[in-house]
Amino acid sequence: MSMSAASDEQRTRGEGASGQPAGGDPRLDALVQRLPPRLASSVDYLLQPSSRWVRIPSGALLVVGGVLSFLPVLGIWMLPLGLALLAEDVPALRASRSKVFDWIERRKPHWLDPSVPKNDRT
């Protein structure tokens, strides 16, 4: 197997098969693992390279929902989640996502620590 074929195969696999995080960033994977199990599995699915055609519309709808957060059912929480999903496919957003993860590592490192309980609200 050639080197490019092996790297392409690793990129297209999810976390379970290759040991790589589905989103490509171990910090994103650490945050996803802190989610409740059903939500974490849904986000893992969306971050898989093969889910691009589901991820892009989902991210766009979440961004629109976040902008319309003044409506009763929608919330501002939808905006960062939608931007994080879109960052997988938009290089300009990927750089911003990396800056946000850098900030989280400096200010809230316990968010990325798997030994901290999930219900820790600080």
Side-chain angles (χ1 to χ4, degrees), residues 36-82:
R38 285 183 77 177
L39 187 57
S41 64
S42 298
V43 173
D44 276 338
Y45 168 76
L46 286 172
L47 291 174
Q48 302 258 335
S50 61
S51 301
R52 181 175 191 201
W53 299 111
V54 176
R55 180 174 55 246
I56 293 172
S58 298
L61 287 173
L62 284 166
V63 168
V64 170
V67 170
L68 298 175
S69 64
F70 60 88
L71 296 174
V73 176
L74 307 174
I76 194 72
W77 62 268
M78 298 172 114
L79 186 61
L81 182 57

Side-chain angles (χ1 to χ4, degrees), residues 14 32 34 40 42 58-59 64 69 73 85 88 95 99 118 120 122:
V32 168
R34 290 185 57 97
S42 298
S58 298
V64 170
S69 64
V73 176
L85 286 176
E88 289 296 311
K99 289 178 184 176
K118 289 182 183 182
D120 182 17
T122 59

Side-chain angles (χ1 to χ4, degrees), residues 71-121:
L71 296 174
V73 176
L74 307 174
I76 194 72
W77 62 268
M78 298 172 114
L79 186 61
L81 182 57
L83 291 173
L85 286 176
L86 289 175
E88 289 296 311
D89 301 303
V90 180
L93 291 176
R94 202 171 300 137
S96 297
R97 181 183 71 180
S98 181
K99 289 178 184 176
V100 169
F101 284 150
D102 291 342
W103 180 87
I104 290 172
E105 279 185 325
R106 283 191 316 274
R107 306 285 183 175
K108 304 284 187 178
H110 61 278
W111 287 5
L112 302 173
D113 186 4
S115 65
V116 176
K118 289 182 183 182
N119 61 0
D120 182 17
R121 302 282 181 188

